[in-house]
Amino acid sequence: MLALAATAEAQIERQHGAHVHGEATGFMAVDGQRLQVQLSLPGHNLVGFEHPPRNERQQQAFDQAIAVLNSDDWLRFTPAARCVVTSVTATSQGFGVDDHTDSEHTHDHDHHDHDQSDHDHGGHAQVDVSGQVECARPELLTWAELRLFAAFPNNAQLTVDVLTDQAAFQARLTPNIQRIDWP
Amino acid sequence: MRLLTLAWHSLVNRSFAVILTVMTIAFSIGLLVMVDQLRQEVREGFYRSVSGVDLIVGARTAPIQLLLYSVFGVGSATNNIDWETFQELQRQPEVDWAVPMALGDSHQGYRVMGTTRAFFEQFKVGDQEGLVIQYGQPATAVFEDLFEVVIGAQVAKQLGYTLGDEIVLSHGTGRVSLQSHDALPFKVTGVLAPTGTPIDQQLFVSLRAHRALHVGWESGVQRPGAGLDQESARQSADALQPETLTAIFLGLKTRAAVFGLQRRVNEYRVEPLSAIIPGITLQELWRISGVAEQILRVVAALVVLTGLLGMLTVLLTTLNERRREMAILRANGARPHHIAMLLVMEAGLIALAGIVLGVALALMAQWALAPVLLDRLGIYLSLQWPALWQWGVLGGIWVAGLLVALVPASLAYRRTLADGMQVRS
């Protein structure tokens, strides 16, 4: 049994995810009044480098990016739905500054450790952003805006999977289209 | 009104050329309407088929591929997944329900799916409607006996099966199968209500029965004497654990959990798996087919344009022949603008007839294509009137027809003035 497991593991270690450089992805899910947003933004898109900040300028850029993401300014919804952003948490990975400020990050991933090591090996750095939103009238929600382009000129495209009561779809946001319209 | 009657009679008088023109326009309109209708209907049909499933899990493959073979029976799986994986997935805290499916057998060309009772209880189609067993025992009592089969509405209708009939399943998925599982006949114990989805085209047996069928078939053909008979299969029913599955349908407790689980499944180290969100994968599929649709639309629009130009040609060429007619009309008191109106009305009638006939042609094409799509994909095409915006487009085409007629109309207007003043033979 043990031997079997060992061979299995040896084979399995040759699985690699497809990594597209500079691809920002995310999802948005609406469950009743709760709306959840989660984004993975490559360091390249945010600050233009994917390593620990090496000088004052890079440190500043990094701090500023995290500050922008931690604010809820970039998230907008149909006003009629009366949505309130209850929390936004930006967590960086691979920037060396281990600012896991995520007290709210309570996912019990079995494979969390794997994820972590993967990113370090690959030499990529990214920032994960998680936002929680409460909407008083979710049925009036017809669009959401992710204004993540003006502050980050390197960010060219953001692909977001969206799940609502009515539909499942993928939205591709660009500097010209920052709005996700419900179909 | 009198002018309209006159226009009508004038058209009847030149019926051959007019009919040809009407046909040209009708075909072009028919193409235009059909392309859009089919697109709409097929998409609707696909969405209806997977409405209640949050994730589909299969062996690692392209998302579209997984969706097509697991739900629509198009293509087949490259690999199966392990039964233990199913059990692990079922145990995940965010999983509300999990329905396993094992494919590989058929009956008279219809797909046989090995599954569990959960399928009948959890699977949803259309507007979040559950499956209904129209005849036979309720979902809670399905698969009490090992050799029970529940059949889809279309299967029952096409093959004329009713409750209690005994049927034999075939190994493999071909229409004509030489190898049948005839040692283990199944009894029809349930007929599903029609859903308008691929489910109507399937037969359902329990996973254990699916396993029992394949004892001794490991090499693809039955080893002589290696199979089970019904009695021994029933006795060893508890030991008949499925080993592999084709795909798994998952329903989750919250929508937000879908993405996390999808990612974990895709990154699962023990077995290479793919998890897809049906709606998003369908969108991916439409993105590919959208290019072809767009081309068809452009072609259809160009054909409409050709039709209208054809009408213009007919109106212009007959203008000369109708000089006498115009002169007589003028002699009877028709004013030049009456003559011009007459031509516009004629064009309007031709275009209108073309549009009406075109819509009829589109409906006929849908009606003719419906059985093909039903057979290939299990999707019902319902005959639909064009949507409001389509009527808008058709109205626009009609107006374009009128505008086109302004060319001969203005020519006639000027000519009748001149003709009226000059003395000609």
Side-chain angles (χ1 to χ4, degrees), chain B residues 10 33 41 74 85 107 175 230 267 297 387 403:
Chain B
S10 156
V33 172
E41 280 287 303
V74 176
T85 301
H107 177 73
R175 280 263 140 146
Q230 275 202 331
E267 289 173 354
R297 270 187 180 174
L403 290 178

Side-chain angles (χ1 to χ4, degrees), chain B residues 29 46 54 63 65 84 114 152 161 169 211 216 222 226 252 261 267 276 335 363 384 389 400 411 415:
Chain B
I29 299 282
F46 271 77
D54 287 325
Q65 183 82 0
E84 279 193 36
Y161 291 152
L169 307 183
R211 176 85 190 96
Q222 189 176 23
L252 303 195
L261 186 65
E267 289 173 354
I276 58 163
R335 306 182 68 91
L363 288 177
Q384 291 281 342
W389 71 269
L411 270 179
R415 260 189 217 168

Side-chain angles (χ1 to χ4, degrees), chain B residues 99 115-122 139-144:
Chain B
V99 169
T115 186
T116 59
R117 206 173 277 173
F119 176 75
F120 302 98
E121 292 166 350
Q122 305 293 358
T140 46
V142 157
F143 301 151
E144 288 274 279

Side-chain angles (χ1 to χ4, degrees), chain B residues 157-215:
Chain B
K157 197 174 143 200
Q158 289 295 318
L159 302 178
Y161 291 152
T162 50
L163 294 180
D165 284 355
E166 286 218 330
I167 63 175
V168 170
L169 307 183
S170 314
H171 195 66
T173 51
R175 280 263 140 146
V176 183
S177 181
L178 295 175
Q179 300 168 334
S180 56
H181 298 292
D182 40 13
L184 301 170
F186 281 74
K187 199 162 151 191
V188 177
T189 57
V191 178
L192 289 168
T195 61
T197 72
I199 286 171
D200 298 355
Q201 311 267 80
Q202 290 180 27
L203 295 89
F204 304 90
V205 301
S206 69
L207 271 182
R208 282 181 177 165
H210 188 265
R211 176 85 190 96
L213 282 176
H214 296 96
V215 170

Side-chain angles (χ1 to χ4, degrees), chain A residues 108-136:
Chain A
D108 46 348
H109 287 207
D110 299 356
H111 304 284
H112 201 78
D113 297 342
H114 284 297
D115 290 355
Q116 207 70 30
S117 58
D118 274 354
H119 291 301
D120 292 341
H121 285 310
H124 293 292
Q126 63 174 33
V127 177
D128 291 335
V129 186
S130 167
Q132 305 287 340
V133 183
E134 294 279 344
C135 296

